[in-house]
Amino acid sequence: MAYTTRRIGVVLFQLGGPDTLEAIEPFLFNLFCDPDIIDFPFARIGRKPLAKLISSTRARKVQHHYATIGGGSPIRRFTEQQARTLQLQLVESGLDARCFVAMRYWHPFTAEAIEQIQAAQCDEVVLLPLYPHYSSTTTGSSLNEWRRLFREDIPVHCVEPFYRHELYLRALMEKIDEALARFDNPDRPEIVFSAHSVPLAVIQNGDPYQRQIEETVELLMQRGGWPNSYRLCYQSKVGASKWLQPSLHAALRLLALEKDREVCIVPISFVSDHVETLGEIDHEARAEAAKLGIKRFEMTSGLNDSPEFIAALADLVGMAIGVDLGRERGAESLTAAAT
């Protein structure tokens, strides 16, 4: 057990989500005001009017997604649950740790997390983006907001992308095994990995997100040993610009044309259940699959507070501050790169 007298503040970063139907439009306004999301010549002048236009239009389109999952996003509840479980595990490992949640576009915002860190009188901080894969639109945006706001003169450590971490991969494999076990013949369904899409322009500017997603899929298929056929697609596109393809909708249509009647969807880029999984996949895509003649549709549940996943997060925190918490890890977890 690793003991330390330092009080460690751990900040879990997520995008956040509207907790009520009324919060959808202001949440989207915050999202589209982000310079890491919307950037163009003279953006300082035009970004807010454009964000107002997109958010009002988009809010009407996505409201039904939130309505079908209870009227708001559960991402805050799941992320705070992850923070509590992680804190407990870190304390049991001998660290004086306090875990805080910093959402990018809705409460609790990064500024709120910083106030909590100050009140807790932390001696150093670990930044833990809950995005396994790096993108300037997710990890980059969250860390930029942190740098704009944090002014304390204490050591700050940042966890690198963890898509290669052995315990993270094992947590995903457990969820896939659970979903496949719901089929009469687990070897039969096609495994469809669905990741959140990003604009092609982001990838063309050097963002490593697509490469890291593709590597994660290959690592999982190698370790899982499943004989099933599989493919990767992307979801949640916004606007008219070109984004990563193929879309989840296109993948389902192709599966139907190929006479595949069973499918297992794996939300590969998400670490908790929220509107993209519960609304877009488990409701909308499920209904679309049924119309296309796909008879059996299953989705893996989110990692949420999976023991393997929380153990991975604890290990990542330990590595960030140079403390061995005695967690099992594979060689890949030590070599994950930020780019």
Side-chain angles (χ1 to χ4, degrees):
M1 184 175 287
Y3 291 96
T4 175
T5 58
R6 297 171 292 171
R7 173 162 293 176
I8 312 297
V10 182
V11 185
L12 284 70
F13 291 98
Q14 261 287 17
L15 293 183
D19 44 16
T20 65
L21 294 179
E22 293 73 25
I24 295 174
E25 188 170 336
F27 162 78
L28 291 173
F29 178 78
N30 292 337
L31 170 66
F32 293 115
C33 274
D34 183 355
D36 292 304
I37 302 295
I38 299 289
D39 197 16
F40 53 92
F42 306 107
R44 289 194 176 186
I45 299 173
R47 184 179 289 117
K48 285 189 176 181
L50 180 61
K52 181 65 176 176
L53 175 63
I54 298 175
S55 61
S56 61
T57 303
R58 182 70 178 167
R60 291 191 294 270
K61 291 182 179 179
V62 303
Q63 189 174 34
H64 72 282
H65 286 311
Y66 290 99
T68 60
I69 63 171
S73 172
I75 194 169
R76 176 174 182 170
R77 172 166 52 88
F78 282 125
T79 307
E80 290 179 339
Q81 187 178 44
Q82 289 167 335
R84 288 191 299 270
T85 310
L86 174 60
Q87 178 172 306
L88 179 62
Q89 187 150 325
L90 291 172
V91 169
E92 289 177 346
S93 297
L95 294 180
D96 182 7
R98 303 290 187 275
C99 292
F100 311 96
V101 172
M103 297 297 192
R104 184 65 185 89
Y105 304 119
W106 203 242
H107 301 283
F109 291 114
T110 302
E112 297 172 60
I114 290 174
E115 290 178 359
Q116 293 175 330
I117 289 169
Q118 294 167 336
Q121 298 182 318
C122 295
D123 299 304
E124 57 187 301
V125 175
V126 174
L127 308 182
L128 178 54
L130 291 179
Y131 318 111
H133 317 87
Y134 180 88
S135 176
S136 60
T137 61
T138 53
T139 303
S141 176
S142 289
L143 295 181
N144 284 341
E145 180 73 353
W146 170 268
R147 296 184 189 106
R148 284 189 285 266
L149 299 176
F150 190 70
R151 294 291 181 266
E152 296 296 308
D153 186 21
I154 58 176
V156 177
H157 315 273
C158 187
V159 170
E160 303 292 348
F162 54 86
Y163 64 97
R164 293 176 179 169
H165 196 287
E166 199 66 30
L167 292 175
Y168 163 71
L169 292 171
R170 192 180 302 171
L172 281 174
M173 288 162 56
E174 284 185 354
K175 297 298 182 181
I176 296 171
D177 283 335
E178 289 173 4
L180 289 175
R182 297 198 290 269
F183 292 87
D184 294 335
N185 182 352
D187 297 344
R188 184 182 300 158
E190 171 119 358
I191 300 175
V192 176
F193 294 95
S194 185
H196 199 296
S197 191
V198 298
L200 275 179
V202 172
I203 302 300
Q204 291 165 351
N205 285 336
D207 198 289
Y209 176 78
Q210 181 182 17
R211 173 178 56 79
Q212 293 180 359
I213 288 286
E214 291 173 350
E215 185 178 347
T216 305
V217 170
E218 295 307 315
L219 287 170
L220 285 169
M221 292 306 298
Q222 290 168 11
R223 281 160 173 71
W226 304 290
N228 310 63
S229 57
Y230 66 98
R231 69 185 69 199
L232 171 63
C233 64
Y234 296 90
Q235 65 178 92
S236 308
K237 177 183 182 296
V238 179
S241 62
K242 293 183 178 180
W243 288 45
L244 288 175
Q245 295 286 338
S247 69
L248 174 57
H249 301 293
L252 290 174
R253 290 194 296 269
L254 189 56
L255 282 167
L257 288 174
E258 294 172 357
K259 306 302 181 184
D260 281 304
R261 293 293 180 255
E262 297 186 351
V263 61
C264 179
I265 308 292
V266 181
I268 190 63
S269 59
F270 311 103
V271 300
S272 61
D273 282 315
H274 52 297
V275 70
E276 279 87 356
T277 62
L278 301 176
E280 286 188 42
I281 298 178
D282 209 31
H283 181 76
E284 183 179 87
R286 180 185 292 277
E288 182 178 4
K291 290 180 181 178
L292 290 168
I294 295 172
K295 302 299 183 184
R296 189 67 186 273
F297 182 103
E298 296 290 345
M299 181 189 75
T300 59
S301 61
L303 294 177
N304 300 329
D305 60 346
S306 151
E308 291 281 14
F309 179 55
I310 299 301
L313 296 183
D315 187 55
L316 290 164
V317 171
M319 288 194 294
I321 61 174
V323 173
D324 186 359
L325 301 182
R327 305 294 177 191
E328 178 186 354
R329 67 176 75 101
E332 293 86 352
S333 68
L334 303 178
T335 58
T339 59

